Coordinates of all heavy atoms in Angstrom, one line a residue:
P56 N -24.8 3.3 35.3 CA -25.2 4.0 34.0 C -25.2 5.5 34.2 O -24.8 6.3 33.4 CB -26.6 3.4 33.7 CG -26.6 2.1 34.3 CD -25.8 2.2 35.6
I57 N -25.8 6.0 35.4 CA -25.9 7.4 35.5 C -24.5 8.0 35.8 O -24.2 9.2 35.5 CB -26.9 7.8 36.7 CG1 -27.1 9.3 36.7 CG2 -26.3 7.3 38.0 CD1 -27.7 9.9 35.5
A58 N -23.6 7.2 36.4 CA -22.2 7.6 36.6 C -21.5 8.0 35.2 O -20.8 9.0 35.1 CB -21.4 6.6 37.3
F59 N -21.8 7.1 34.2 CA -21.2 7.4 32.9 C -21.8 8.7 32.3 O -21.2 9.4 31.6 CB -21.5 6.2 32.0 CG -20.6 5.0 32.3 CD1 -21.1 3.8 32.6 CD2 -19.2 5.2 32.3 CE1 -20.3 2.7 32.9 CE2 -18.4 4.1 32.6 CZ -18.9 2.8 32.9
I60 N -23.1 8.9 32.6 CA -23.8 10.1 32.1 C -23.2 11.3 32.8 O -23.0 12.4 32.1 CB -25.3 10.0 32.3 CG1 -25.8 8.8 31.4 CG2 -26.0 11.3 31.9 CD1 -27.3 8.5 31.6
V61 N -23.1 11.3 34.1 CA -22.6 12.4 34.8 C -21.1 12.8 34.4 O -20.8 13.9 34.2 CB -22.6 12.2 36.3 CG1 -21.9 13.3 37.1 CG2 -24.1 12.1 36.8
A62 N -20.3 11.7 34.2 CA -18.9 12.0 33.8 C -18.9 12.5 32.4 O -17.9 13.2 32.0 CB -18.2 10.7 33.8
F63 N -19.9 12.3 31.6 CA -20.0 12.9 30.2 C -20.1 14.4 30.2 O -19.6 15.0 29.3 CB -21.2 12.2 29.5 CG -21.6 12.9 28.2 CD1 -20.8 12.7 27.1 CD2 -22.7 13.7 28.1 CE1 -21.1 13.3 25.9 CE2 -23.0 14.3 26.9 CZ -22.2 14.1 25.8
V64 N -20.7 14.9 31.3 CA -21.0 16.4 31.3 C -19.8 17.2 31.2 O -19.7 18.1 30.3 CB -21.8 16.7 32.6 CG1 -22.0 18.2 32.7 CG2 -23.2 16.0 32.5
P65 N -18.7 17.0 32.1 CA -17.5 17.8 31.9 C -16.8 17.6 30.6 O -16.2 18.5 30.0 CB -16.6 17.4 33.1 CG -17.2 16.1 33.6 CD -18.6 16.1 33.3
M66 N -16.9 16.3 30.1 CA -16.3 16.0 28.8 C -16.9 16.8 27.7 O -16.3 17.4 26.8 CB -16.4 14.5 28.5 CG -15.5 13.6 29.3 SD -13.8 13.8 29.0 CE -13.3 14.9 30.4
L67 N -18.3 16.9 27.7 CA -19.0 17.7 26.7 C -18.7 19.2 26.8 O -18.4 19.9 25.8 CB -20.5 17.5 26.9 CG -21.4 18.2 25.8 CD1 -21.1 17.7 24.4 CD2 -22.9 18.1 26.2
F216 N -19.1 7.8 44.6 CA -19.6 8.6 43.5 C -18.4 9.3 42.8 O -18.2 9.2 41.6 CB -20.5 9.7 44.0 CG -20.8 10.8 43.0 CD1 -21.6 10.6 41.8 CD2 -20.3 12.1 43.1 CE1 -21.9 11.6 40.9 CE2 -20.5 13.1 42.2 CZ -21.3 12.8 41.1
A219 N -16.2 6.7 41.0 CA -16.9 6.2 39.7 C -16.7 7.3 38.7 O -16.5 7.0 37.5 CB -18.3 5.9 40.0
I220 N -16.9 8.6 39.0 CA -16.8 9.6 38.0 C -15.3 9.7 37.5 O -15.1 9.9 36.3 CB -17.2 11.0 38.6 CG1 -18.6 10.9 39.1 CG2 -17.0 12.1 37.6 CD1 -19.6 10.5 38.0
L221 N -14.4 9.6 38.3 CA -13.0 9.6 37.9 C -12.7 8.4 37.0 O -12.0 8.6 35.9 CB -12.0 9.5 39.1 CG -12.0 10.8 40.0 CD1 -11.2 10.5 41.3 CD2 -11.4 12.0 39.2
L222 N -13.2 7.3 37.3 CA -13.0 6.1 36.4 C -13.7 6.3 35.1 O -13.2 6.0 34.0 CB -13.6 4.8 37.1 CG -12.8 4.3 38.2 CD1 -13.6 3.2 39.0 CD2 -11.5 3.6 37.7
A223 N -14.9 6.9 35.1 CA -15.7 7.1 33.9 C -15.0 8.2 33.0 O -15.1 8.1 31.8 CB -17.1 7.5 34.2
L224 N -14.3 9.2 33.6 CA -13.6 10.2 32.8 C -12.6 9.5 31.9 O -12.4 10.0 30.8 CB -12.9 11.2 33.8 CG -13.8 12.2 34.5 CD1 -13.0 13.1 35.4 CD2 -14.6 13.1 33.5
F225 N -12.0 8.5 32.4 CA -10.9 7.8 31.7 C -11.5 7.2 30.4 O -10.8 7.3 29.3 CB -10.3 6.7 32.5 CG -9.4 5.8 31.7 CD1 -8.1 6.3 31.3 CD2 -9.8 4.5 31.3 CE1 -7.3 5.4 30.5 CE2 -8.9 3.7 30.6 CZ -7.7 4.2 30.2
I226 N -12.7 6.7 30.4 CA -13.2 6.0 29.2 C -13.6 7.0 28.1 O -13.8 6.6 27.0 CB -14.4 5.0 29.5 CG1 -15.6 5.8 29.9 CG2 -14.0 4.1 30.6 CD1 -16.8 4.9 30.0
Y227 N -13.8 8.3 28.5 CA -14.1 9.3 27.4 C -12.9 9.9 26.9 O -12.9 10.5 25.8 CB -15.0 10.4 28.0 CG -16.4 9.9 28.3 CD1 -16.9 9.8 29.6 CD2 -17.3 9.7 27.3 CE1 -18.2 9.4 29.9 CE2 -18.6 9.3 27.5 CZ -19.0 9.1 28.8 OH -20.3 8.7 29.1
L259 N -21.1 8.2 24.7 CA -22.1 8.2 25.8 C -23.2 7.1 25.5 O -23.5 6.3 26.4 CB -22.8 9.6 25.9 CG -24.0 9.6 26.8 CD1 -23.6 9.4 28.3 CD2 -24.8 11.0 26.7
M429 N -15.1 21.4 37.3 CA -15.3 20.0 37.6 C -14.1 19.1 37.5 O -13.8 18.3 38.4 CB -16.4 19.4 36.6 CG -17.8 20.0 36.7 SD -18.9 19.3 35.5 CE -20.3 20.4 35.7
L430 N -13.3 19.3 36.5 CA -12.1 18.5 36.3 C -11.0 18.9 37.3 O -10.2 18.1 37.8 CB -11.6 18.7 34.9 CG -12.4 18.0 33.8 CD1 -12.0 18.4 32.4 CD2 -12.4 16.5 34.0

Side-chain angles (χ1 to χ4, degrees):
I57 190 61
F59 286 122
I60 295 174
V61 173
F63 168 76
V64 173
M66 289 294 99
L67 181 63
F216 167 74
I220 299 305
L221 290 172
L222 287 166
L224 286 176
F225 170 75
I226 72 173
Y227 288 109
L259 171 66
M429 292 177 188
L430 290 169

